[in-house]
Structure formats: structure tokens, C-alpha cells
Amino acid sequence: MLRFSLQLVGVAALSVFSVCVQADIPLADRRSGEHFMRAETRAMQNDPTANPATFALLEGEALWQKKIGSADKSCFACHGQAEKNMRGVAARFPTLSQGRLMNLEQRIQACRVEQQRASPWPYEHRELLALATYVGTQSKGLPITPSNVEGMQAHRDAGRALFQQRLGQLNLSCAQCHDARWGAQLSGNPIPQAHPTAYPLYRLEWQAVGSLQRRLRNCMTGVRAEPFAFGEPGLVQLESFLMWRARGMPIETPGLRP
Amino acid sequence: MTEPARTIVNVPAQAKRGEVIEIRAVVQHAMESGYRRTELGELIPRDIVRIFRCTYNNVEVFRAEFHPAMAANPLVSFTTRATESGTLVFEWRGDHGFSAQASASIRVS
């Protein structure tokens, strides 16, 4: 009898364990968020004359050439033609730069402060997002190729741990929705797989272009957790893991999502 | 507004006389409804586009009034009949002296 109940406990423990540690989505089953949108929204995204993110792209293109800061330098002055020299760059971020883990926005910000000698933008500033959209779009169609710089794996592991960490009053982890229940409905909307292939993107809900960090913070408040602050290392580690999870999938910037 | 607002207009470059053509126009604008408040509870003043007009060789072919419930970067899609070669001029006017213009030419054969 005692042995029997111990076995039961064992089975129970095993099933709890299997709920907590979700297997990764098989590579062949991965779908971009685009897959879960309505045909109308997808048509809007794929037509540059209808996609409102086009404005951010045009603004970024203009900013690339604009001389700013006390160094009176443009992005173009160092990097030249974005179409040529920024191709594939966004597909590698986040990466370690100057010994620090940085996402694309943070890298642009570092250039602005150190090279152009201008005051940093606040997070989610329209111009910062416009430049990130412009740089991101230069990688459109290219596969995500996560950085293999030494030290990145540790950040990705930390990101994975966060992805599987239950958070907030609803006590939910990212994995519980986006690995285990993708394709199901959450308050009338399909749950996507959470592949960050199209950032920065225009969200109809936001009525604006926003970053991946803004989206991650949304999910955190969604499970009623205290969201991480913008730029917090944990968020960038989570980004690193998500980009690795979406490795090989094509970049879709400038994206549009409902 | 420090810089002129960006616009995107989509007009077929050519059309047959009498053909019904679809025209689309988007303007970059935040369309602040006037109903939102800041974190401190202060009302954010309304800032929207009020009027959109399209003229075809100086003849008005479409006009729309915009209201606070409209989305940011409003997209307007409408049709008209291609009558003659010429220019379509698009004009947006709004709160706080907002104004934007765009034009496109069409060849009618």
C-alpha cells in the first residue's frame, strides 16, 4: 500500500514536471506571427502603401543621413550605404558589443552617444524606433543568425530560464502559452508562437511602431507581473533567447500585427 | 510640426478613359483623440486631422471629415472615374494648424 502511494506520488511529480518543462517547438512547426493574422491584416502588412510602418521606415532613411550631435556626424558618415552595409546586421542582434549585451536599439543608442555625441533618446522614442526599423528592414528576407560570440550562450540560457519562469498573479510562464498552447485562443485572439521576426513593428492595438521590449512588457502586465524596466538585462537576455528560438526564420521588418 | 507630415498616395499611373480607378491615401498623424489622460490625470488635448480632400484637375472628387475615433495614420480608400490626364491633389487639414499635401499624376488614354 505504501509502495503503491509512493508510485502515485511519483507519477504526479512526473506530470507536474512535464507541465513545467515544455519541449521546444520542432523547427519545422515554427510559424511567424504573420501566420496567425487575418488575411486583411497580412495584406495590409505586405503592401508598403498601406502598412503604416512605412512611415517609420521613411523617417529612418532620412535620419540615417542627418548630421547630429556635437560631432556633427550622420550614421552614413561611418556606416555608408545602409542597403549594403547594414544588410544582415539586425539578423544577428542581440549580441555582445563592447563587452555588453545589447539589442539593436541599444547599439544604435550607443552610436548616438559615443560617436555622434548627442544626448540619448528615451526608450521607445519615435526616432530611435524609426532608425531601428530602417536598419532592421535591410535584413528583410534574410534568416535570423544568432550571434555566436563567446559569452552569448550564457545570456541565452538565462533568457530560456526566464521564458520558462512562472510570473505574476496569474502564475504563467511564456512557455505555457507560446510553446504549449500556440494556435489556441486567448480572449478571442489566436496565441502565436512568439517569434520576434518583424520588430520593430506597427501594432494596430498600439497605433504606433514599438519595440520587442514593449511587447514583452505587455505580456508581463498581461500575466499581472511587475514588468521589467526597458533596457533591463533580463529583457535583453529574453530577446536573445527568442531570437535563437527563431533562428533561420526570415526577418520581416517592417512588420504589422493586430 | 517641425517637418512636413509624410504621406503615401497610391494612384494608378495610367488608366483607360471612363475606367473606375481605386485611390488610396495615408497620412502620418497620431490622431490623439482628446479623451486620453496622462499618468497624472491631465487630459491630453485633441490633435486630429479634420478634413481630407482630393481634387482631380481642380475638381473635388472626394472629401471626408475625420473624427476622434479614427485610427492613427488614417488610410482613406475611394474610387473615381478616370476622365482625363492630369493631376490629383490630396490635402489634409487638422488641429493646431496641421496641414499636409501630396499629388500624383495620371495618364488617361
Side-chain angles (χ1 to χ4, degrees):
Chain A
M1 188 63 205
L2 180 68
R3 205 171 130 197
F4 176 68
S5 56
L6 273 180
Q7 269 177 345
L8 263 185
V9 169
V11 169
L14 195 68
S15 57
V16 167
F17 182 76
S18 62
V19 167
C20 293
V21 180
Q22 273 301 324
D24 289 344
I25 300 170
L27 293 190
D29 293 346
R30 291 176 309 168
R31 301 282 180 272
S32 145
E34 195 185 31
H35 174 86
F36 300 91
M37 315 198 289
R38 286 194 195 181
E40 293 90 334
T41 319
R42 200 175 310 129
M44 193 174 179
Q45 168 183 263
N46 295 336
D47 177 355
T49 65
N51 184 344
T54 304
F55 288 123
L57 186 60
L58 294 173
E59 192 171 353
E61 191 177 10
L63 285 169
W64 187 260
Q65 303 282 349
K66 194 173 167 187
K67 291 182 181 174
I68 57 149
S70 57
D72 199 29
K73 256 189 190 173
S74 66
C75 308
F76 180 85
C78 288
H79 298 286
Q81 290 287 344
E83 289 79 3
K84 200 171 133 229
N85 297 329
M86 288 294 118
R87 199 174 142 76
V89 169
R92 294 197 290 271
F93 272 82
T95 187
L96 288 167
S97 182
Q98 305 160 346
R100 262 186 61 207
L101 180 65
M102 286 190 195
N103 64 17
L104 186 59
E105 285 91 348
Q106 288 171 318
R107 191 68 200 80
I108 292 172
Q109 190 81 275
C111 257
R112 178 177 168 88
V113 174
E114 289 156 25
Q115 305 297 326
Q116 299 180 308
R117 304 205 170 277
S119 53
W121 287 296
Y123 283 102
E124 300 299 291
H125 190 276
R126 204 184 75 190
E127 292 188 346
L128 173 59
L129 291 168
L131 262 180
T133 305
Y134 181 58
V135 173
T137 304
Q138 308 311 323
S139 301
K140 188 174 180 173
L142 296 179
I144 292 172
T145 45
S147 161
N148 274 328
V149 182
E150 201 186 331
M152 271 309 287
Q153 193 54 46
H155 289 300
R156 279 200 283 269
D157 290 344
R160 178 192 282 273
L162 265 173
F163 190 80
Q164 293 168 342
Q165 171 73 51
R166 286 167 176 262
L167 288 176
Q169 290 179 328
L170 299 190
N171 201 29
L172 283 170
S173 73
C174 312
Q176 280 176 292
C177 277
H178 297 291
D179 273 351
R181 288 174 183 81
W182 63 267
Q185 300 274 313
L186 179 65
S187 44
N189 300 311
I191 302 174
Q193 294 181 350
H195 296 301
T197 48
Y199 284 88
L201 54 73
Y202 192 95
R203 242 187 130 67
L204 296 173
E205 182 194 322
W206 293 338
Q207 299 276 292
V209 171
S211 71
L212 175 55
Q213 294 208 348
R214 180 171 178 186
R215 187 67 195 83
L216 294 175
R217 280 164 48 93
N218 267 189
C219 263
M220 288 176 173
T221 38
V223 300
R224 300 186 198 158
E226 176 87 22
F228 286 31
F230 278 110
E232 200 167 299
L235 270 188
V236 193
Q237 288 172 333
L238 191 51
E239 280 186 63
S240 311
F241 170 67
L242 289 175
M243 286 299 266
W244 175 83
R245 191 168 162 268
R247 63 199 178 280
M249 297 174 76
I251 296 269
E252 293 159 27
T253 313
L256 180 101
R257 293 289 182 271
Chain B
M1 278 257 109
T2 48
E3 287 174 36
R6 289 173 204 281
T7 60
I8 304 171
V9 295
N10 196 354
V11 178
Q14 21 192 328
K16 291 205 169 65
R17 192 176 306 276
E19 191 184 334
V20 173
I21 51 168
E22 191 193 348
I23 294 162
R24 273 184 303 172
V26 197
V27 63
Q28 185 176 26
H29 198 289
M31 294 295 278
E32 185 58 57
S33 69
Y35 297 119
R36 295 200 308 162
R37 288 174 189 274
T38 65
E39 284 174 355
L40 299 175
E42 290 156 0
L43 206 61
I44 304 172
R46 193 188 75 179
D47 182 7
I48 63 169
V49 177
R50 296 302 312 279
I51 293 281
F52 168 73
R53 280 182 80 219
C54 172
T55 57
Y56 183 178
N57 285 346
N58 297 319
V59 179
E60 186 175 287
V61 290
F62 189 85
R63 176 206 284 264
E65 265 181 44
F66 289 3
H67 293 276
M70 289 192 66
N73 309 310
L75 181 155
V76 179
S77 172
F78 58 95
T79 54
T80 189
R81 201 173 287 278
T83 50
E84 56 192 348
S85 297
T87 313
L88 287 109
V89 175
F90 303 85
E91 192 187 12
W92 294 263
R93 290 189 178 282
D95 295 335
H96 311 297
F98 175 84
S99 162
Q101 272 215 346
S103 64
S105 53
I106 182 169
R107 224 179 64 224
V108 176
S109 53

